[in-house]
């Protein structure tokens, strides 16, 4: 009888008290401290991992496991996301990236945007892809869209400057500052004095001065590679799709070591996003490739850099 009673109680909790995926995500959006995690209904289990206190669906548990570490990463945190083919390309040689990875990865990318203060793209991505960089695949706030354009390459007619969908920060060189009236409503222009001011760490510092401490570097491959090579990233998400492009626009590319023993082997977590595989790399304390808090399996970044 006790077993039957327990089953009925579990069914009742699932029916009226369990946290579903949408509710879990909406709660996670408000979490930035352990106290807020507790207030949202999460508690630490015997292994030190957070679990939903009142029971949850499998999808809700997965969301907490995947995104709570990012929620609790602190007010100053820089992370990046790339989606690429199995052979390391983010687009074809003609720049077509629709889509390298699948819809689950696009939803994942939009969740990362919702958890950031700012989303950064380079001039090449802004000019070629004409991205929106807003949160559309899940509930959540839009980050400030930051366009790194030291040489004034991005046409002012791009959606980032004209759609008014979210605030945009156009970061240009001092000699390339647009004329008054060129930038649309909701667009701030930040003119930096020289090329040294565009180094990743200087850029992160400048964004933090403007209250943008949680920074997502989304594209393109050159920009993400620069941040990675100059050790300006705390975490890197790479989603690999089971597709072979052959040649095209590479994802990560930076000067590497001569010996494999000197290669970067950070702690890693892995998840399945539909047919794709997500690798989450902790770059704060690189070691010899052991898992980061264990590995997890799950069920999306869109094909293009900065959709």
């Amino acid at each position: 009888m006790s077993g039957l009673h327990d089953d009925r109680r579990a069914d009742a909790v699932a029916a009226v008290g369990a946290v579903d995926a949408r509710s879990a995500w909406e709660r996670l959006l408000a979490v930035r401290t352990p106290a807020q995690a507790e207030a949202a209904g999460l508690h630490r289990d015997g292994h030190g991992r957070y679990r939903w206190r009142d029971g949850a669906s499998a999808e809700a548990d997965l969301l907490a496991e995947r995104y709570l570490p990012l929620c609790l990463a602190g007010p100053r945190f820089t992370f990046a996301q790339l989606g690429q083919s199995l052979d390391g390309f983010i687009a074809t040689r003609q720049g077509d990236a629709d889509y390298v990875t699948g819809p689950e990865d696009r939803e994942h990318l939009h969740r990362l945007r919702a958890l950031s203060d700012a989303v950064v793209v380079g001039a090449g991505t802004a000019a070629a892809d004409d991205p929106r960089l807003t949160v559309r695949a899940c509930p959540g706030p839009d980050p400030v869209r930051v366009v790194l354009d030291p040489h004034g390459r991005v046409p002012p007619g791009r959606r980032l400057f004209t759609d008014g969908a979210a605030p945009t920060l156009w970061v240009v060189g001092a000699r390339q500052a647009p004329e008054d009236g060129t930038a649309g409503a909701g667009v701030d222009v930040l003119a930096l004095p020289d090329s040294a001011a565009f180094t990743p760490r200087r850029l992160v510092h400048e964004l933090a001065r403007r209250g943008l401490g949680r920074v997502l570097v989304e594209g393109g491959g050159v920009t993400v590679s620069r941040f990675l090579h100059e050790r300006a990233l705390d975490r890197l998400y790479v989603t690999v799709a089971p597709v072979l492009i052959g040649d095209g626009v590479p994802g990560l590319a930076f000067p590497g070591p001569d010996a494999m023993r000197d290669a970067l082997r950070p702690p890693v977590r892995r998840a399945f996003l539909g047919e794709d595989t997500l690798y989450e790399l902790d770059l704060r304390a690189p070691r010899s490739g052991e898992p980061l808090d264990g590995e997890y399996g799950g069920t999306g970044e869109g094909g293009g850099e900065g959709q």
Side-chain angles (χ1 to χ4, degrees):
M1 289 297 292
S2 62
L4 179 60
H5 176 77
D6 290 343
D7 289 343
R8 287 176 176 173
R9 182 177 182 277
D11 290 342
V13 169
V16 300
V19 180
D20 62 14
R22 183 177 182 87
S23 174
W25 175 246
E26 290 175 347
R27 296 186 194 190
L28 288 169
L29 285 171
V31 171
R32 292 295 181 270
T33 67
Q36 290 171 341
E38 292 281 348
L42 289 153
H43 71 100
R44 290 184 182 271
D45 63 16
H47 301 286
R49 296 185 179 183
Y50 281 98
R51 294 289 185 265
W52 295 107
R53 183 179 299 110
D54 299 324
S57 67
E59 293 82 2
D61 282 334
L62 179 63
L63 288 171
E65 187 173 7
R66 183 173 298 162
Y67 296 107
L68 188 60
L70 183 57
C71 294
L72 297 176
R76 293 284 299 272
F77 198 77
T78 305
F79 52 108
Q81 160 82 3
L82 277 180
Q84 65 178 43
S85 65
L86 196 60
D87 50 352
F89 298 103
I90 58 177
T92 69
R93 70 170 73 94
Q94 296 297 325
D96 180 19
D98 294 337
Y99 291 114
V100 177
T101 58
E104 295 89 351
D105 189 42
R106 288 192 289 281
E107 182 180 40
H108 165 66
L109 173 63
H110 285 223
R111 292 191 190 279
L112 294 184
R113 290 176 184 171
L115 293 174
S116 66
D117 299 324
V119 55
V120 174
V121 294
T125 294
D129 292 355
D130 195 16
R132 285 182 280 178
L133 304 182
T134 53
V135 178
R136 306 182 302 281
C138 65
D142 293 319
V144 174
R145 306 176 294 187
V146 180
V147 181
L148 305 181
D149 190 17
H151 304 296
R153 297 167 50 197
V154 185
R158 288 296 183 263
R159 288 185 294 188
L160 290 167
F161 306 136
T162 61
D163 64 9
T168 298
L169 181 63
W170 193 357
V171 186
V172 300
R175 297 182 179 179
Q176 282 74 38
E179 298 178 359
D180 291 343
T182 301
V187 179
D188 288 334
V189 177
L190 173 61
L192 297 181
D194 50 44
S195 59
F198 280 85
T199 60
R201 289 187 177 275
R202 292 275 296 276
L203 287 166
V204 168
H205 178 73
E206 184 62 41
L207 293 177
R209 289 182 62 247
R210 302 174 74 93
L212 306 174
R214 294 170 61 90
V215 178
L216 167 61
V217 184
E218 189 171 312
V222 171
T223 300
V224 172
S225 296
R226 283 184 59 216
F227 273 74
L228 175 63
H229 181 58
E230 297 186 26
R231 299 184 181 275
L233 292 179
D234 298 301
R235 188 165 298 169
L236 173 64
Y237 297 88
V238 179
T239 304
V240 179
V243 61
L244 299 172
I245 296 177
D247 67 358
V249 180
L252 297 173
F254 55 90
D258 294 329
M260 276 301 302
R261 65 176 177 271
D262 297 323
L264 185 62
R265 294 182 185 268
V268 61
R269 297 201 300 176
R270 301 172 182 84
F272 294 112
L273 303 177
E275 294 184 347
D276 305 329
T277 303
L278 170 66
Y279 295 87
E280 177 187 347
L281 308 175
D282 185 347
L283 302 173
R284 294 167 300 180
R287 295 185 293 275
S288 57
E290 68 270 28
L292 195 172
D293 294 330
E295 296 179 1
Y296 59 88
T299 59
E301 170 200 279
E305 291 184 310
Q307 300 169 51

